[in-house]
Amino acid sequence: MGAAELFDQGAPALDNGLLRFMTCGSVDDGKSTLIGRLLYDSKAILADTLHAIAKTSRKRGLSAVDLSLLTDGLVAEREQGITIDVAYRYFSTGTRKYIIADAPGHEQYTRNMVTAASTADLAIILVDARKGVLPQTRRHSAIARLLGIPQLVVAVNKMDLVGYDEDVFARLRADYLDCAHRLGIDDVSFVPISALEGDMIVERGERLGWYRGPTLLEILEAAPGAGTVACDERFRFPVQYVCRPQQSDGSFRGYMGRIESGSVAVGDRVEILPAGLVTHIKDIRLYGRSLPSAVAGQSVTLLVEDEIDVSRGDMIVKPDERPLSSALLKADLCWLSGSPLDPMRRYLIRHTTREVPARLAGIDYRLDITTLRHVDTSHIGMNDIVRVGFRLGRPIFVDRYADNRATGAFIVIDPSTNDTVGAGMIV
């Protein structure tokens, strides 16, 4: 049973759960307009919000409401007509709840796209029907694969500007499948749409009669939701905080954190890493009450039977499910900083709740976004996707990213600025 199911007991029968999805693609592919159309056609826009964007549209001399204004929340975004930060929107269709992340299309904001992708269950990759598959399309697809987004939907947008031509859709579908094959992406859905006119978004419209597949919303409604995709069942509990309330008699000592995978129950035998001490779960607390068990996705406080030293950064696991201990990380890395990775510098690796010093140990290759080939390189610059090794100041306990998105990922921090400069996925 997943966390969502645990809390949804007693919910209406027609509840397909939560789906987190993101939109990505090149600049002007129509990501913000698509989201606006989804919200508008599914009647998820409040009247005062619709009035405000209609007023702004009229001021700009537009004859129709500019639905992209719903997600371009920053002043700079509205001035430039681009998305800069990740904009999140929430809506419900009555049978499913959605969290949408509108990721920027500009290459310089790739770090924001990585942020959005890290929690997405599905990615909609927009392709402009007039421009086809572009380098930024390939970059976002590569990042989506690296970050393990389980479901990809390619929406060929602006079909209204190519006369709703079936041959254009077929050609772009073939082009993208070639790109997907070289990236190792196996499962992709395709849908032709016009976000501006509303064709194949919520309603089918009357101008894409040759397309027999589902609309975009029908694809979203049928997609596996959060917590339903097969995931690691090994128990992983990185300790975020040691709770010792001052008002107690001093006997309470709980370890707070989020269960990243698996489950735990009172009485379970657990091991504290890296110390290797073994004890049993005495109690599981959530909002002041005790639970007999807890599952992935829940943030809880664990109490153990023995008085042993547990600190932030430790990981609680089950003794027969230990992760790998390693001082050398091999990983796919997306470099997010404007300054190149300096092999002579020391960085910090933040993995779950633990930070360790690290240096670059070597570069295997860089992914050429244009050809999708692995090329030799000795330089790692902004937005490069590379396979690298990091040598750590001390071992940490990790899983492969393909097995566990939480304990298989890390970020690289510049200790002089505390900026996040890279995102890594352990291979």
Side-chain angles (χ1 to χ4, degrees):
M1 179 182 289
E5 294 173 274
L6 202 66
F7 288 115
D8 283 348
Q9 290 176 356
L14 289 176
D15 185 352
N16 292 332
L18 172 70
L19 182 73
R20 298 184 181 90
F21 71 92
M22 64 177 298
T23 58
C24 50
S26 298
V27 177
D28 293 332
D29 277 349
K31 298 180 293 298
S32 297
T33 302
L34 169 64
I35 293 175
R37 173 61 65 181
L38 263 175
L39 298 175
Y40 182 76
D41 285 1
S42 59
K43 299 180 174 50
I45 304 176
L46 297 175
D48 56 343
T49 303
L50 187 59
H51 175 74
I53 64 171
K55 185 177 178 181
T56 303
S57 300
R58 285 195 298 273
K59 284 183 178 178
R60 295 182 176 183
L62 302 175
S63 58
V65 175
D66 183 356
L67 295 173
S68 70
L69 295 173
L70 282 167
T71 55
D72 289 341
L74 302 177
V75 172
E77 291 177 330
R78 295 186 176 183
E79 288 176 345
Q80 300 178 57
I82 63 171
T83 300
I84 296 174
D85 200 358
V86 180
Y88 292 94
R89 289 292 181 272
Y90 310 85
F91 78 103
S92 172
T93 58
T95 57
R96 161 161 275 180
K97 299 179 181 67
Y98 293 93
I99 299 176
I100 317 171
D102 181 19
H106 274 74
E107 182 177 343
Q108 72 187 90
Y109 301 124
T110 296
R111 59 182 297 148
N112 298 2
M113 187 268 176
V114 172
T115 301
S118 63
T119 57
D121 304 305
L122 180 148
I124 298 174
I125 297 176
L126 268 82
V127 175
D128 188 323
R130 301 166 302 169
K131 301 176 182 175
V133 176
L134 300 174
Q136 198 65 335
T137 314
R138 289 189 285 269
R139 182 185 305 280
H140 286 176
S141 300
I143 293 172
R145 190 193 72 80
L146 288 177
L147 288 169
I149 297 177
Q151 306 163 80
L152 295 186
V153 178
V154 176
V156 180
N157 191 23
K158 304 191 181 182
M159 290 297 295
D160 52 303
L161 298 181
V162 295
Y164 296 96
D165 191 333
E166 182 178 3
D167 291 340
V168 172
F169 177 72
R171 176 171 53 80
L172 296 183
R173 184 177 185 277
D175 288 348
Y176 188 86
L177 282 175
D178 177 62
C179 164
H181 175 71
R182 287 190 282 167
L183 286 171
I185 298 171
D186 298 323
D187 189 11
V188 188
S189 301
F190 293 86
V191 57
I193 63 171
S194 169
L196 185 65
E197 301 295 338
D199 298 295
M200 289 298 165
I201 307 295
V202 175
E203 306 295 336
R204 299 190 67 83
E206 299 177 351
R207 290 160 289 207
L208 287 164
W210 48 264
Y211 173 72
R212 305 298 183 190
T215 65
L216 182 60
L217 184 62
E218 287 171 343
I219 293 174
L220 298 177
E221 289 281 272
T228 60
V229 177
C231 57
D232 196 345
E233 295 184 350
R234 295 172 298 178
F235 178 59
R236 300 287 186 261
F237 186 83
V239 177
Q240 294 182 3
Y241 183 71
V242 179
C243 178
R244 301 201 68 183
Q246 293 181 355
Q247 64 271 27
S248 76
D249 60 2
S251 61
F252 187 95
R253 187 179 178 89
Y255 308 111
M256 307 176 77
R258 170 189 159 97
I259 301 175
E260 298 294 357
S261 63
S263 62
V264 68
V266 173
D268 279 356
R269 187 167 176 259
V270 294
E271 182 175 3
I272 315 299
L273 299 176
L277 301 172
V278 175
T279 182
H280 291 80
I281 296 295
K282 184 172 68 176
D283 196 2
I284 303 171
R285 297 288 183 89
L286 178 65
Y287 298 123
R289 62 190 174 95
S290 294
L291 302 176
S293 62
V295 298
Q298 287 185 281
S299 294
V300 295
T301 301
L302 300 182
L303 281 71
V304 297
E305 289 186 349
D306 301 293
E307 291 190 7
I308 56 180
D309 182 24
V310 181
S311 304
R312 173 182 165 82
D314 290 353
M315 189 183 298
I316 302 178
V317 304
K318 295 182 179 176
D320 55 349
E321 300 174 348
R322 293 179 103 234
L324 174 68
S325 173
S326 177
L328 178 64
L329 290 187
K330 183 73 76 174
D332 291 322
L333 179 75
C334 183
W335 191 249
L336 308 173
S337 172
S339 301
L341 194 158
D342 185 346
M344 304 305 293
R345 282 197 58 191
R346 190 193 73 163
Y347 294 92
L348 291 176
I349 294 282
R350 180 179 295 165
H351 172 261
T352 62
T353 56
R354 178 173 288 261
E355 286 185 4
V356 296
R359 291 184 188 276
L360 183 69
I363 307 172
D364 289 6
Y365 59 78
R366 178 176 64 83
L367 177 66
D368 186 310
I369 290 298
T370 303
T371 65
L372 299 181
R373 295 181 184 277
H374 297 166
V375 296
D376 293 335
T377 185
S378 59
H379 176 272
I380 300 176
M382 185 174 180
N383 296 323
D384 277 347
I385 297 172
V386 290
R387 173 70 59 87
V388 297
F390 277 106
R391 192 168 300 282
L392 310 182
R394 55 185 179 276
I396 59 175
F397 290 89
V398 300
D399 293 297
R400 293 173 62 244
Y401 187 80
D403 297 329
N404 194 313
R405 291 176 74 177
T407 54
F410 63 86
I411 59 173
V412 185
I413 298 172
D414 183 336
S416 65
T417 62
N418 211 33
D419 289 341
T420 300
V421 292
M425 284 64 68
I426 299 165
V427 297

